[in-house]
Amino acid sequence: MLKRIKSLLLTVVIFGACITAVGFVPRDTGYDYTVGIVQLVRHSALDAATQGFTDSLTERIQAAGKTVKIDYQDAQNETVNCSVIANNFVAKKYDLIMANATAALQACYNATEQIPILGTSVTVYDVALGLTDYNAAEGTGTNVSGTSDLAPLAEQANMIAELVPSARKVGLLYCSSEANSRYQVEEVARCLEEMNMGYECEFYAFSDSNDLSAVVEKMAAESEVVYVPTDNTVASNTQLINSICSRERIPVVAGEEGICSGCGIATLSISYYNLGVRTAEIAARILLDGESVGDIPIAYDDSPVKKYNAEICEELGIAVPDDYEPIGG
């Protein structure tokens, strides 16, 4: 509670300085519901989740004979902007907030305990929000629910063994400011070590896009294969990562399809558009049916698909089993 109060006081102080950077529209009282969306950064996965949410929620509200105003805000990959946007939504007393990505969810969680918040493109909610006594089957018990983009990490670890069988030095790249990114790389490392195949796992943390290049250069020089999780800074810098890893002929296994299409050989892919649709289903249950957000369990995509990047696999001479689908195919 004290942490949330301190965060709220901080964002009040910086509100005036940041409001012109993100831009807002006033609440239109001519609608039955007003929903705010704060998205951490623009890239293909998060964009697809927002689109799925917007399309599905609009359709569901209209089918019920109601109207909805959706106020979308891009935080431009700045956590400070996430807090400013979240507090603006709270000040306008929006009916529901959708937070797209971990930093956006954390900002909204710190901004309000009353307005329902739905996360999407968030991997592990108790890790992201520091929840204790969390029972996934019973909901968070707070004003937060939503959907997770976590694909089975053990299966992602198996991809490394399957596609690059001779590699033993594994580099795990993640942004140190994203708690869910660290969770993913630690779990993949644990899964690899439990295989008892002699894997040497090394973590390569970067703080933001400014030091990413230097970290990737070091990782590529010291690794035989790389794993990158569903990390938003990685997703926004796949061209940089690919330019370094392809030069050193280091294959990358990715946590999601958008990253894989930019720099990876393969991924266990979920549909972020469908993730947004599932988030909208929960929103409709709250807005139209009056369900309590804290009692709704976090939802997952239960049908991830093995996919591969044909171009990069061909460049590196990676043989792909028949149960993988080509990205874009």
Side-chain angles (χ1 to χ4, degrees):
M1 176 63 72
L2 181 58
K3 177 182 176 182
R4 298 176 74 171
I5 292 172
K6 287 181 178 178
S7 177
L8 179 58
L9 290 173
L10 174 62
T11 54
V12 168
V13 171
I14 63 177
F15 184 84
C18 297
I19 189 168
T20 56
V22 292
F24 299 108
V25 297
R27 173 164 183 166
D28 190 330
T29 56
Y31 292 83
D32 294 301
Y33 305 106
T34 305
V35 174
I37 296 176
V38 52
Q39 180 172 317
L40 174 63
V41 63
R42 296 294 305 273
H43 63 68
S44 59
L46 300 192
D47 290 348
T50 290
Q51 192 64 55
F53 177 82
T54 301
D55 291 347
S56 181
L57 182 61
T58 300
E59 180 181 351
R60 291 170 183 277
I61 296 296
Q62 290 177 347
K66 303 285 187 178
T67 58
V68 60
K69 170 72 176 182
I70 296 179
D71 181 0
Y72 167 84
Q73 299 291 335
D74 173 15
Q76 304 169 22
N77 207 23
E78 294 287 346
T79 55
V80 169
N81 286 348
C82 287
S83 295
V84 173
I85 294 167
N87 282 285
N88 182 66
F89 289 165
V90 173
K92 294 179 178 178
K93 300 181 180 179
Y94 280 4
D95 298 295
L96 183 140
I97 300 172
M98 194 276 266
N100 194 345
T102 300
L105 178 67
Q106 290 168 333
C108 293
Y109 180 68
N110 286 329
T112 179
E113 297 180 14
Q114 285 75 43
I115 297 175
I117 301 167
L118 296 182
T120 195
S121 314
V122 176
T123 307
V124 185
Y125 279 71
D126 54 326
V127 172
L129 301 180
L131 302 178
T132 57
D133 300 323
Y134 170 63
N135 187 329
E138 297 178 356
T140 66
T142 70
N143 60 321
V144 174
S145 187
T147 54
S148 168
D149 61 359
L150 179 65
L153 295 172
E155 292 185 36
Q156 294 181 48
N158 287 336
M159 284 182 168
I160 294 173
E162 183 174 48
L163 298 176
V164 199
S166 63
R168 289 297 176 270
K169 295 181 179 180
V170 182
L172 300 113
L173 179 70
Y174 73 100
C175 182
S176 58
S177 64
E178 295 199 27
N180 278 323
S181 297
R182 181 174 183 85
Y183 170 84
Q184 290 174 81
V185 295
E186 288 177 345
E187 282 296 299
V188 167
R190 183 183 62 79
C191 291
L192 289 169
E193 290 163 0
E194 287 180 352
M195 293 179 186
N196 294 318
M197 295 173 60
Y199 284 111
E200 300 175 26
C201 296
E202 188 72 30
F203 298 99
Y204 294 87
F206 60 92
S207 57
D208 54 36
S209 58
N210 294 319
D211 64 339
L212 177 59
S213 179
V215 173
V216 175
E217 289 279 5
K218 185 176 190 298
M219 177 184 67
E222 298 174 348
S223 306
E224 296 172 326
V225 64
V226 166
Y227 173 77
V228 294
T230 55
D231 184 291
N232 289 297
T233 309
V234 167
S236 298
N237 291 275
T238 56
Q239 185 175 359
L240 182 153
I241 295 168
N242 185 57
S243 66
I244 296 171
C245 290
S246 63
R247 183 189 70 214
E248 300 296 331
R249 300 189 63 77
I250 303 298
V252 177
V253 173
E256 61 95 7
E257 183 174 340
I259 295 175
C260 188
S261 65
C263 65
I265 58 169
T267 184
L268 190 62
S269 177
I270 66 171
S271 167
Y272 277 79
Y273 184 90
N274 290 342
L275 207 64
V277 170
R278 295 205 67 181
T279 310
E281 293 173 0
I282 299 173
R285 289 164 61 184
I286 294 166
L287 296 175
L288 297 174
D289 302 331
E291 291 192 36
S292 173
V293 60
D295 295 334
I296 301 176
I298 304 302
Y300 296 81
D301 185 327
D302 54 7
S303 55
V305 178
K306 287 182 175 181
K307 291 193 174 184
Y308 72 99
N309 185 323
E311 181 180 353
I312 295 180
C313 284
E314 183 177 356
E315 288 177 2
L316 298 180
I318 302 292
V320 182
D322 293 338
D323 60 339
Y324 285 72
E325 297 180 5
I327 292 175

